[in-house]
Structure formats: structure tokens, C-alpha cells
Amino acid sequence: MIYPIVKYGDPVLERKGDSIMEFDTPELNGFLEDMFESMYAAKGVGLAAPQIGFSRRIAVIDCSLGEDPAQKIVLINPQIIAVEGKQKGEEGCLSIPGFREDVTRGKKVTVRAQTAKGETFEMTGEDLLARAFQHETDHLHGRLYISHISALKRDLIRRAVRKKVKAGEWT
Ligand code: NI
């Protein structure tokens, strides 16, 4: 099932997600399938559960946009455990469509998370994957990428979004 993407302004995006305690259930496996489907439909490289309205600590990533099944990553209850170096680059978010800003992130990042079966693993990514680890883990803490840009730029985006909401262009 493809869920619509929740847009900036919805409180679920700024709420800390609940940890997942039950693994390897048909409900969880089905939900993960829905997350990948929803992410591919929206043409994103990452999606966090709050972005489809569920306050749960689950994110999916696929830097190949569905081209290479080997690049599908499921992160359940993830935490960033190591960050090396810095990268500056444009970042956007499916929940804030039409906007992109430069964000400085770690260049090489290690995440610790659980699989759908509940096994703990660690994975290190660089560049785009490192950025995705940080962006998606942030989502599960109720943090959006615009919290990493200047207050001035964030305010410009907020005002532009408010206009779109008024015009009925933000649903
Ligand atoms: Ni996002």
C-alpha cells in the first residue's frame, strides 16, 4: 500500500518516534513493504515512518531508487554511533517538497540499528548514504533537516510554506 507523504507542519514530524519492541511479525513485515513502496512512489532515497503518519522508529533507505535490491536498507530503532569528517551539500525532504538547502553533515557515519527480525547490526556509509543515515535518524527524533540551517533560511521556508497552506497547495 502506498501512503501519502505527511507534509511539514504536521506535528507527527516533530514528535519522537516510539521504539519497536516486536519483531518478525506479519504486521511489521507488511509495514516495511509499504514503506518501501511509498518511498519509491515519492521518488525518495529515504523515508521515515513519521512521514507516512506513524510515530515509530523505523526508516528505509535505498540510494539506488529501486534499481538495485542490494541497496535496500531497513533501520529499526537506529542510532548514530560514529561520525567522521564533514560534507556540505544540498539536502531536501519529501515532507518539505520544493525546497532544498545546503546542510553540513558527517562524511562517514556508522549507524547501529535492528533488522526486521530484531537482530542488531552496525553499518558504515559515506557521502549520500552517510547523509541518509543522519537525515532519517533525525526524523525518528522528530528533527527535520531545516533545524540544521540558519534561522533566517528556516524562517523563509516557514513563511513560504504558510503561503502555500493558505493557498491550499500544501496537502
Ligand atoms: Ni526527510
Side-chain angles (χ1 to χ4, degrees):
M1 163 178 186
I2 295 170
Y3 286 93
I5 305 293
V6 170
K7 301 284 198 310
Y8 174 52
D10 189 313
V12 73
L13 292 175
E14 293 177 85
R15 197 180 296 147
K16 206 169 182 295
D18 295 326
S19 297
I20 302 303
M21 314 295 257
E22 280 184 60
F23 295 88
D24 208 16
T25 61
E27 196 275 333
L28 179 61
N29 294 330
F31 184 70
L32 291 169
E33 267 178 44
D34 290 345
M35 283 195 65
F36 276 107
E37 249 188 84
S38 304
M39 176 177 76
Y40 294 140
K43 295 186 167 54
V45 298
L47 184 76
Q51 293 184 278
I52 53 170
F54 293 84
S55 207
R56 301 174 174 175
R57 288 177 62 205
I58 304 178
V60 295
I61 292 172
D62 182 353
C63 290
S64 80
L65 287 163
E67 293 295 313
D68 175 10
Q71 294 193 43
K72 289 173 78 172
I73 298 169
V74 170
L75 300 176
I76 302 181
N77 303 329
Q79 54 182 132
I80 302 291
I81 56 166
V83 179
E84 273 178 61
K86 276 184 184 171
Q87 57 170 326
K88 189 178 175 187
E90 258 200 359
E91 201 165 311
C93 178
L94 293 175
S95 293
I96 317 175
F99 300 92
R100 295 184 74 78
E101 289 293 340
D102 275 345
V103 180
T104 301
R105 298 275 195 185
K107 184 164 174 63
K108 189 176 172 188
V109 169
T110 302
V111 67
R112 179 184 292 150
Q114 281 167 284
T115 66
K117 290 189 189 309
E119 290 151 353
T120 299
F121 68 99
E122 288 176 12
M123 193 175 185
T124 301
E126 288 186 62
D127 303 319
L128 178 61
L129 184 54
R131 187 175 288 282
F133 283 162
Q134 293 164 101
H135 181 112
E136 300 311 328
T137 304
D138 266 0
H139 267 300
L140 306 183
H141 288 103
R143 234 175 4 239
L144 299 168
Y145 83 87
I146 54 172
S147 67
H148 296 290
I149 65 177
S150 74
L152 182 71
K153 285 182 177 166
R154 190 164 50 244
D155 209 47
L156 287 173
I157 291 180
R158 275 206 195 116
R159 269 188 248 173
V161 167
R162 226 174 282 149
K163 265 190 198 162
K164 285 176 186 283
V165 170
K166 273 190 189 158
E169 294 165 357
W170 196 254
T171 51

